[in-house]
Amino acid sequence: MAIQDQILNEIKKFKTIIIHRHKRPDPDAIGSQMGLAQLIKASFPDKTVLCAGKQYDSFAWLGTTDQIADDQYKDALVIVVDTANQLRVDDERYTTGKELIKIDHHPNDDQFGDIMWVEPESSSTSELIYDFFDANKDQLTLPAEGARLLYAGIVGDTGRFMYPSTSSHTLEVASKLATYDFSTSEVNKIEDEIDIPLARLSAYVYENLNILDSGAAYLVLSNKVLEPFKLGDESTSAVVPLPGKIKQVVAWAIFVEQKDGSFRIRLRSKGPEINELAKQYGGGGHPLASGAVVEDEDHIKDFVKDLNDLVAKNK
């Protein structure tokens, strides 16, 4: 039995379905979560479908999460989308349901769930949710709002279709979603817009980015640096792609200070695979888009040296 059929069979069995995604979400995390919820609600109106996780004002245009009581998990099917490892699941109650399904497009290094559907070659989890619908479209209904959410997720995780993960299938799925009653240009505009504080931070990124001879680049965003911009950590994700626009930059790391003094590393590459380096620093992810952590500012130089060596080796 195909994995999509297995997942549909499980959905049919449960009255309550609770969908989780990862902490500090991006458009794909929310788009796949909310898009799947819309798909199930439209297909099975008698079911209770809830979305878990912290609500962010900046993502209100993609929907709002639900207040979920502990006892609602008792006999529920829990689906975790777009989350590579269990430490990143938003809301730890995801393990308290009756059954657990993982749907993801990151490398499956942390295998969890009663059923796992993981396709690392897919551009996004939102693309997978559409594939799930397409495989069972004789039994499922995708409403226009669900299509909008999935399209938003694909646009977000492909960098407006610029990243190497964008395949002909990705473009085909986006084209099919565009036939639904929503404005693709409006979604594209919202995802491309930045406000004035973020514009100023973008200028800071370009002005202060350290570019090494190898093509490796890095930037440290300490709390002291970020304070004048009045931006939360989640807002810094919008500047992560910016170094990639510079021709000479091959791979780059942006270090964002956390409340405990550690630094979250947002790591990207145009060619050299950087996910193994990320794993050495307690992280992981895709070959060209990963994340990691260093304990404090003193360890940043160690990571930068390793990144520089990796890029120089692959020139």
Side-chain angles (χ1 to χ4, degrees), residues 84-293:
N85 57 72
Q86 296 177 74
L87 289 175
R88 293 204 67 205
V89 181
D90 194 340
D91 195 323
E92 295 178 355
R93 295 177 295 171
Y94 75 97
T95 60
T96 62
K98 194 168 185 180
E99 190 164 338
L100 177 62
I101 295 174
K102 175 185 181 181
I103 302 176
D104 189 31
H105 74 122
H106 299 91
N108 199 20
D109 295 329
D110 185 359
Q111 299 183 19
F112 63 93
D114 301 293
I115 296 175
M116 291 182 291
W117 181 26
V118 179
E119 300 283 353
E121 69 276 9
S122 183
S123 74
S124 56
T125 303
S126 294
E127 181 178 315
L128 288 177
I129 300 302
Y130 180 84
D131 289 340
F132 168 67
F133 158 70
D134 193 49
N136 296 286
K137 58 187 174 184
D138 58 327
Q139 303 177 67
L140 296 173
T141 299
L142 179 64
E145 176 60 7
R148 183 183 78 92
L149 290 161
L150 297 181
Y151 178 82
I154 292 171
V155 168
D157 249 29
T158 60
R160 323 301 185 265
F161 306 105
M162 289 194 301
Y163 297 158
S165 60
T166 305
S167 66
S168 60
H169 179 66
T170 305
L171 297 173
E172 180 183 7
V173 169
S175 177
K176 290 178 178 177
L177 290 170
T179 65
Y180 286 78
D181 187 19
F182 72 94
S183 171
T184 56
S185 60
E186 181 66 17
V187 171
N188 296 338
K189 185 189 77 170
I190 292 172
E191 295 209 35
D192 198 49
E193 280 180 340
I194 59 174
D195 55 19
I196 291 174
L198 196 52
R200 288 174 176 155
L201 179 60
S202 299
Y204 180 90
V205 170
Y206 283 129
E207 184 68 25
N208 293 276
L209 184 70
N210 300 282
I211 305 175
L212 307 179
D213 291 341
S214 66
Y218 71 96
L219 176 72
V220 179
L221 296 177
S222 66
N223 290 330
K224 184 178 179 180
V225 166
L226 288 173
E227 198 280 330
F229 297 104
K230 306 299 181 185
L231 291 166
D233 175 42
E234 65 273 7
S235 298
T236 61
S237 62
V239 303
V240 175
L242 298 183
K245 296 180 183 292
I246 300 173
K247 184 177 181 180
Q248 290 79 4
V249 172
V250 177
W252 62 101
I254 296 182
F255 300 85
V256 183
E257 188 173 7
Q258 307 298 293
K259 291 179 181 178
D260 64 359
S262 66
F263 283 81
R264 181 184 184 191
I265 308 170
R266 299 179 185 271
L267 186 60
R268 300 293 185 269
S269 175
K270 294 178 184 176
E273 295 188 357
I274 39 79
N275 54 334
E276 291 301 321
L277 173 59
K279 288 178 185 178
Q280 295 174 29
Y281 287 84
H286 297 289
L288 303 182
S290 293
V293 177

Side-chain angles (χ1 to χ4, degrees), residues 214 308-315:
S214 66
N308 184 55
D309 291 346
L310 174 65
V311 175
K313 179 181 176 182
N314 286 274
K315 286 189 75 172

Side-chain angles (χ1 to χ4, degrees), residues 51-98:
C51 292
K54 181 179 177 181
Q55 179 64 42
Y56 292 87
D57 291 342
S58 60
F59 285 126
W61 66 283
L62 291 174
T64 56
T65 52
D66 298 294
Q67 296 295 320
I68 307 171
D70 291 348
D71 61 3
Q72 289 181 282
Y73 281 86
K74 182 180 178 182
D75 295 310
L77 169 65
V78 177
I79 303 175
V80 176
V81 297
D82 198 42
T83 310
N85 57 72
Q86 296 177 74
L87 289 175
R88 293 204 67 205
V89 181
D90 194 340
D91 195 323
E92 295 178 355
R93 295 177 295 171
Y94 75 97
T95 60
T96 62
K98 194 168 185 180

